[in-house]
Amino acid sequence: MAQIHPSSCVHPDAQLADDVVIGPFCLVGPKVSIGAGTVLRSHVVVEGRTKIGEGNVIYAGASVGCDPQDKKYAGEDTALIVGDRNVIRENCTLSIGTTQDQGLTQVGSDNLFMANVHVAHDCRVGSGTILANNVALAGHVVVEDFAIIGGQSGVHQFVRVGAHSMVGGASGLLRDLPPFVICSGNPAGPHGLNTVGLRRHGFTDNMVRAIHQAYRLLYREGLTVKEALEQMAPLLETFPEARNELQHFIDFVANSPRGLIR
C-alpha cells in the first residue's frame, strides 16, 4: 500500500503503485497515475490527466500536470505522460497538452530537471536530458535525447533541440539546434560540436570525424542549406560506422520548419 503522509490530500480515484511515497502537504488529483518507486518529497501538486512512471523523484513545490499557460486552453481533458527515473527538482512546472496540438505533453526517462524548470504545453522531451536551473521551454518544443540546456536559457515555441546537443547558459534559442551541436548567445549561434558529450556516450573518433564533416559543410563552407545537404549525402558511404548519426543529422536539417541557427 502506498505510503501517504497524513497532511497530504490524495483523491481516492488516483492510481498509486503499492510502494509510492507521498510526503507531507502534497496534492494528487483524481486522474493521476503514479508508478512503482516514485517519491513525492513534499508540497508537490500532481493534477490533470497525468501518468508518471516508475522510480521518479519529485521535489518540493513542483507542479506536475498543471493547466497550460495558454489563453486558448478551455479546460479540455488533455494529458501529460512522464517516463521513469526522472529527477524533478524544486518548483518545476510541467503542463498538460492542448487540443491545438496532439493534446499531450510527453517526457521520457532518466532526465534531470533542475530547480524552476518550465516544460510548457505540448512539449516533447526525450530521455537522458539535462535542463539546468530556470530553463524555460515554450509550447510545442521538442528536446531530443541527451541534449543539455544551460541555466537561465529560453527556448522559443516550436523550436527543436537536437540529440546530444548543448545550449550554453543564458541563451535564447529562436531556431532549431541540429543534433551534436553546441550553441550559445541571444539569439543563439553555433559554436562547434559537443565532442566531449559525444565521447562520453561512446562515439568513436571516426564517428566524431564524420559528424564534424557534416557540421563543416553546414556552417563553415558558405553553402546554402540545400547545397550543404547535397554535399553531405556522400558522407553516408564514406563513414559507414556513423551512418545512423549522419542520417539523423541530415534528416533534422532537411526538415526544419523554423529554420536552423546559423
Side-chain angles (χ1 to χ4, degrees):
M1 186 174 181
Q3 179 182 327
I4 302 172
H5 192 277
S7 65
S8 289
C9 181
V10 177
H11 196 281
D13 291 340
Q15 299 179 19
L16 309 181
D18 288 343
D19 57 351
V20 166
V21 176
I22 308 293
F25 302 105
C26 295
L27 174 66
V28 178
K31 298 178 182 179
V32 172
S33 170
I34 302 179
T38 289
V39 176
L40 278 57
R41 288 290 185 90
S42 71
H43 298 83
V44 175
V45 175
V46 186
E47 54 187 338
R49 184 155 56 90
T50 296
K51 181 178 181 180
I52 299 175
E54 300 181 356
N56 298 282
V57 182
I58 306 177
Y59 284 73
S63 181
V64 180
C66 50
D67 288 350
Q69 296 180 100
D70 185 333
K71 293 178 72 174
K72 298 185 297 297
Y73 179 71
E76 296 90 351
D77 187 26
T78 52
L80 166 70
I81 296 177
V82 177
D84 304 326
R85 299 175 303 279
N86 296 288
V87 175
I88 300 173
R89 293 302 302 254
E90 294 82 1
N91 303 315
C92 289
T93 53
L94 287 72
S95 300
I96 57 176
T98 67
T99 56
Q100 285 72 41
D101 202 316
Q102 299 178 35
L104 176 66
T105 303
Q106 191 158 10
V107 173
S109 300
D110 302 300
N111 299 291
L112 170 58
F113 296 161
M114 297 186 193
N116 304 306
V117 165
H118 175 60
V119 178
H121 58 87
D122 306 293
C123 286
R124 308 283 192 276
V125 179
S127 296
T129 71
I130 300 173
L131 276 60
N133 298 302
N134 300 303
V135 165
L137 306 183
H140 316 277
V141 164
V142 174
V143 180
E144 295 185 344
D145 295 348
F146 302 110
I148 299 174
I149 303 179
Q152 323 293 331
S153 294
V155 183
H156 194 278
Q157 61 189 16
F158 294 101
V159 161
R160 298 179 302 152
V161 180
H164 296 279
S165 64
M166 184 172 183
V167 180
S171 293
L173 192 56
L174 305 181
R175 296 184 183 276
D176 291 352
L177 172 63
F180 321 120
V181 174
I182 290 175
C183 76
S184 66
N186 188 7
H191 294 284
L193 293 183
N194 182 20
T195 53
V196 172
L198 296 180
R199 291 194 170 99
R200 284 175 177 169
H201 285 97
F203 284 59
T204 65
D205 288 345
N206 207 40
M207 294 168 72
V208 174
R209 190 175 301 113
I211 296 166
H212 184 266
Q213 291 296 316
Y215 176 90
R216 179 181 58 80
L217 291 169
L218 183 62
Y219 287 114
R220 294 290 182 262
E221 298 296 321
L223 304 173
T224 66
V225 171
K226 181 179 179 181
E227 291 168 341
L229 286 169
E230 290 171 352
Q231 295 195 32
M232 285 180 206
L235 296 176
L236 297 169
E237 303 304 324
T238 305
F239 296 97
E241 181 183 359
R243 186 179 183 91
N244 290 340
E245 291 73 24
L246 286 169
Q247 190 65 63
H248 181 53
F249 187 89
I250 290 169
D251 291 344
F252 188 102
V253 171
N255 298 282
S256 179
R258 281 199 61 81
L260 305 169
I261 63 166
R262 295 288 279 176

